[in-house]
Amino acid sequence: MTDDNRPPADSGDQPTLPADREEPVGEPVVRADPAITGHRAHEAVGFDPDDPESISLAAETVRAFSENTVGAEDNVYMLRGAAACAALVRGVGSYKEAAERAGGDVSVSFIRKWARVHDLPQGIRRHVARGHIAPTAAKHIARVPGPDRFDIAWAVIDGDLTVREVRQVASEVNDGRSVSEALADRDVQFGRLELSLPPDAYRELRRRASIQNRTPGDLVGEVLEDYFFD
């Protein structure tokens, strides 16, 4: 399934609400974090879909973003454009009206794709801002619903997937294939992560794993499940 062949609920005029994002639409939570964007954090611009002036700024930003008047390699700039797309859609009420409000060659497809990027969970967007995930890869990750989007995002980081591979994996997952199967075809082992531990923790982990006839990964997984989900 491609971006332009979405189910009717997503391809109609009315925008769908984000399923994972908890912050207000257009809020520069990631872009305004100095730990992520450094000295550029003070430049972060938020977009309020309930403020007419902010909607006008969002429309101008979307048009400039679509015309690529600033360097496309700037991940923070790309996230700003995505935020503007999301806020504009919410502000005017539909993808079609958002495209008309932005003007120029801005299309419904363009706004829908980038609004979905802004609706990605914060944990993923932070890696986009850091440069670990290309914005063009984030567009394809955003096509996938639920936990699968996390799995593909982490595979980009840990498995060094290319944008083309991300697009293919996203399409396969949307067609019903599991993430682990799609990744296996690209020699990426789902759930594999390389860690660096403090010497004492590493020594004790190895000792306990040996005594219990288990792998270090098995013990770490058990501890993390207790920590995260109990």
Side-chain angles (χ1 to χ4, degrees), residues 3-34:
D3 283 30
D4 297 320
N5 188 24
R6 306 286 298 180
D10 189 45
S11 58
D13 283 347
Q14 297 303 317
T16 56
L17 294 176
D20 300 295
R21 186 182 176 93
E22 297 180 355
E23 311 89 18
V25 172
E27 188 79 11
V29 175
V30 173
R31 291 175 287 123
D33 186 348

Coordinates of all heavy atoms in Angstrom, one line a residue, residues 3-34:
D3 N 1.6 5.6 -0.2 CA 1.1 6.8 0.5 C -0.2 7.3 -0.2 O -1.1 7.9 0.4 CB 2.1 7.9 0.4 CG 3.2 7.7 1.5 OD1 3.5 6.6 1.8 OD2 3.7 8.7 2.0
D4 N -0.3 7.1 -1.5 CA -1.4 7.6 -2.3 C -2.6 6.6 -2.4 O -3.5 6.8 -3.2 CB -1.0 8.1 -3.6 CG 0.0 9.3 -3.5 OD1 -0.2 10.1 -2.6 OD2 1.0 9.3 -4.2
N5 N -2.4 5.5 -1.7 CA -3.4 4.5 -1.8 C -3.9 4.0 -0.4 O -3.8 2.9 -0.1 CB -2.9 3.3 -2.6 CG -4.0 2.2 -2.9 OD1 -5.2 2.6 -3.0 ND2 -3.6 1.0 -3.1
R6 N -4.2 5.0 0.4 CA -4.6 4.8 1.7 C -6.1 4.4 1.8 O -6.9 4.6 0.9 CB -4.4 6.1 2.6 CG -3.0 6.6 2.5 CD -2.0 5.8 3.3 NE -2.4 5.8 4.7 CZ -1.7 5.1 5.6 NH1 -0.6 4.5 5.2 NH2 -2.0 5.1 6.9
P7 N -6.5 3.8 3.0 CA -7.9 3.5 3.2 C -8.7 4.8 3.1 O -8.2 5.9 3.4 CB -7.9 2.8 4.6 CG -6.5 2.4 4.8 CD -5.6 3.3 4.0
P8 N -10.0 4.7 2.8 CA -10.8 5.9 2.7 C -10.8 6.8 3.9 O -10.8 8.0 3.8 CB -12.2 5.3 2.5 CG -12.0 4.0 1.9 CD -10.7 3.5 2.5
A9 N -10.7 6.2 5.1 CA -10.7 7.0 6.3 C -9.5 8.0 6.4 O -9.6 9.0 7.0 CB -10.7 6.1 7.6
D10 N -8.4 7.7 5.7 CA -7.2 8.5 5.8 C -7.1 9.4 4.5 O -6.4 10.4 4.5 CB -6.0 7.7 5.9 CG -4.7 8.5 6.2 OD1 -4.8 9.4 7.0 OD2 -3.7 8.3 5.5
S11 N -7.8 9.1 3.4 CA -7.6 9.8 2.2 C -8.7 10.8 1.9 O -8.7 11.5 0.9 CB -7.5 8.8 1.0 OG -8.7 8.0 1.0
G12 N -9.7 10.9 2.8 CA -10.8 11.8 2.7 C -10.3 13.2 3.1 O -9.2 13.5 3.5
D13 N -11.3 14.1 3.0 CA -11.0 15.5 3.4 C -10.7 15.7 4.8 O -9.9 16.5 5.2 CB -12.1 16.4 2.9 CG -12.2 16.7 1.4 OD1 -11.1 16.3 0.8 OD2 -13.2 17.2 0.9
Q14 N -11.4 15.0 5.7 CA -11.2 15.2 7.1 C -10.0 14.5 7.7 O -9.7 13.4 7.4 CB -12.5 14.6 7.9 CG -13.8 15.3 7.5 CD -13.7 16.8 7.7 OE1 -13.2 17.3 8.7 NE2 -14.2 17.6 6.8
P15 N -9.1 15.3 8.4 CA -7.9 14.7 8.9 C -8.2 13.8 10.1 O -9.2 14.0 10.8 CB -7.2 15.9 9.4 CG -8.2 16.9 9.8 CD -9.3 16.7 8.7
T16 N -7.4 12.7 10.2 CA -7.5 11.8 11.3 C -6.7 12.3 12.4 O -5.6 12.9 12.2 CB -7.0 10.4 10.9 OG1 -5.7 10.5 10.4 CG2 -7.9 9.8 9.8
L17 N -7.1 12.1 13.7 CA -6.4 12.6 14.8 C -5.3 11.6 15.1 O -5.3 10.4 14.9 CB -7.3 12.6 16.0 CG -8.5 13.7 15.9 CD1 -9.3 13.6 17.2 CD2 -7.9 15.1 15.8
P18 N -4.1 12.1 15.6 CA -3.0 11.3 15.9 C -3.3 10.3 17.0 O -4.0 10.6 18.0 CB -1.9 12.3 16.4 CG -2.7 13.5 16.8 CD -3.9 13.6 16.0
A19 N -2.8 9.1 16.8 CA -3.1 8.0 17.8 C -2.1 8.0 18.9 O -2.4 7.5 20.0 CB -3.1 6.7 17.1
D20 N -0.8 8.5 18.7 CA 0.2 8.3 19.7 C 0.7 9.6 20.3 O 1.1 9.6 21.4 CB 1.5 7.7 19.0 CG 1.1 6.3 18.5 OD1 0.8 5.4 19.2 OD2 1.2 6.1 17.2
R21 N 0.6 10.7 19.6 CA 1.1 12.0 20.1 C 0.2 12.5 21.3 O -1.0 12.6 21.2 CB 1.1 13.0 19.0 CG 1.8 14.3 19.3 CD 1.7 15.2 18.1 NE 2.3 16.5 18.5 CZ 3.6 16.9 18.4 NH1 4.4 16.0 17.8 NH2 4.0 18.1 18.7
E22 N 0.9 12.9 22.3 CA 0.2 13.5 23.5 C 0.3 15.0 23.6 O -0.5 15.6 24.3 CB 0.8 12.8 24.8 CG 0.6 11.3 24.9 CD 1.1 10.7 26.1 OE1 1.8 11.5 26.9 OE2 1.0 9.5 26.4
E23 N 1.3 15.6 22.9 CA 1.5 17.0 23.0 C 0.5 17.7 22.1 O 0.0 17.1 21.1 CB 2.9 17.4 22.6 CG 4.0 16.6 23.3 CD 4.4 15.4 22.6 OE1 4.0 15.3 21.4 OE2 5.0 14.5 23.2
P24 N 0.2 19.0 22.3 CA -0.7 19.7 21.4 C -0.1 19.8 20.0 O 1.1 19.8 19.8 CB -0.8 21.1 22.1 CG -0.4 20.9 23.5 CD 0.5 19.8 23.5
V25 N -1.0 19.7 19.0 CA -0.6 19.8 17.6 C 0.2 21.1 17.4 O -0.3 22.2 17.8 CB -1.8 19.7 16.7 CG1 -1.4 20.0 15.3 CG2 -2.4 18.4 16.8
G26 N 1.3 21.0 16.8 CA 2.1 22.2 16.5 C 3.1 22.6 17.6 O 3.9 23.5 17.4
E27 N 3.0 22.0 18.7 CA 3.9 22.3 19.9 C 5.3 21.9 19.6 O 5.5 20.7 19.2 CB 3.4 21.6 21.1 CG 4.1 22.0 22.4 CD 3.6 23.3 22.9 OE1 2.5 23.8 22.4 OE2 4.2 23.9 23.8
P28 N 6.3 22.8 19.7 CA 7.7 22.5 19.4 C 8.4 21.8 20.5 O 9.5 22.2 21.0 CB 8.3 23.8 19.0 CG 7.6 24.8 20.0 CD 6.1 24.2 20.0
V29 N 7.9 20.7 21.0 CA 8.5 20.0 22.1 C 9.9 19.5 21.8 O 10.8 19.8 22.6 CB 7.6 18.8 22.6 CG1 8.3 18.0 23.7 CG2 6.2 19.3 23.0
V30 N 10.1 18.9 20.7 CA 11.4 18.4 20.3 C 12.3 19.5 19.8 O 13.4 19.7 20.3 CB 11.3 17.3 19.3 CG1 12.7 16.9 18.8 CG2 10.6 16.1 19.8
R31 N 11.8 20.3 19.0 CA 12.6 21.4 18.4 C 13.0 22.5 19.4 O 14.0 23.2 19.2 CB 11.8 22.1 17.3 CG 11.5 21.2 16.0 CD 10.7 21.9 15.0 NE 9.3 21.9 15.4 CZ 8.5 23.0 15.5 NH1 9.1 24.2 15.2 NH2 7.3 23.0 15.8
A32 N 12.3 22.6 20.5 CA 12.6 23.6 21.5 C 13.5 23.0 22.7 O 13.7 23.7 23.6 CB 11.3 24.2 22.1
D33 N 13.9 21.8 22.5 CA 14.7 21.1 23.6 C 16.2 21.4 23.3 O 16.7 20.8 22.3 CB 14.4 19.6 23.6 CG 15.1 18.9 24.7 OD1 16.0 19.5 25.4 OD2 14.8 17.7 25.0
P34 N 16.9 22.1 24.1 CA 18.3 22.4 23.8 C 19.2 21.2 23.8 O 20.2 21.1 23.1 CB 18.7 23.3 25.0 CG 17.4 23.9 25.5 CD 16.4 22.8 25.3

